[in-house]
Amino acid sequence: MKHIVKIMTFLVAIIATWISLLQAAMIPQSHTWLLPLYFIVSLGCYGLFMVGVGLMQFPTCPQEAILLQQDVIEAKQFLKRKGVDVGSD
């Protein structure tokens, strides 16, 4: 619930800034209407950056990898017993 409050506060602040720039005419009108587009592009870049950081910091779990390999071997044996071709090992 706290996260949604942060997001909503951020969006309200962005919208208020955009409206104030439209009203104050400090920035040319042609540039002000592009601010939402710039915001969306910036948000996409930020999202891609965070995904990249998350992938770089992804923890390795050797114990889970061993368990997963055992499950795959067990599943292949089960499918072979049922007559399903699971490819070569």
Side-chain angles (χ1 to χ4, degrees):
M1 187 63 180
K2 292 179 185 180
H3 195 63
I4 191 73
V5 172
K6 287 181 186 178
I7 291 172
M8 293 304 293
T9 304
F10 183 68
L11 287 176
V12 167
I14 294 293
I15 291 170
T17 303
W18 183 49
I19 291 173
S20 68
L21 288 173
L22 283 174
Q23 297 295 324
M26 294 171 21
I27 298 176
Q29 195 77 7
S30 61
H31 294 194
T32 309
W33 288 107
L34 290 174
L35 286 177
L37 180 64
Y38 293 151
F39 176 70
I40 291 170
V41 170
S42 299
L43 190 61
C45 291
Y46 173 75
L48 286 174
F49 175 74
M50 293 309 294
V51 166
V53 168
L55 286 174
M56 287 189 297
Q57 295 177 346
F58 192 76
T60 57
C61 306
Q63 299 87 4
E64 294 298 322
I66 292 170
L67 289 174
L68 181 61
Q69 289 172 353
Q70 290 173 350
D71 286 344
V72 168
I73 291 169
E74 181 182 325
K76 283 184 178 182
Q77 290 172 352
F78 174 78
L79 290 173
K80 282 181 184 177
R81 284 194 308 264
K82 296 291 184 180
V84 177
D85 182 23
V86 291
S88 62
D89 290 327

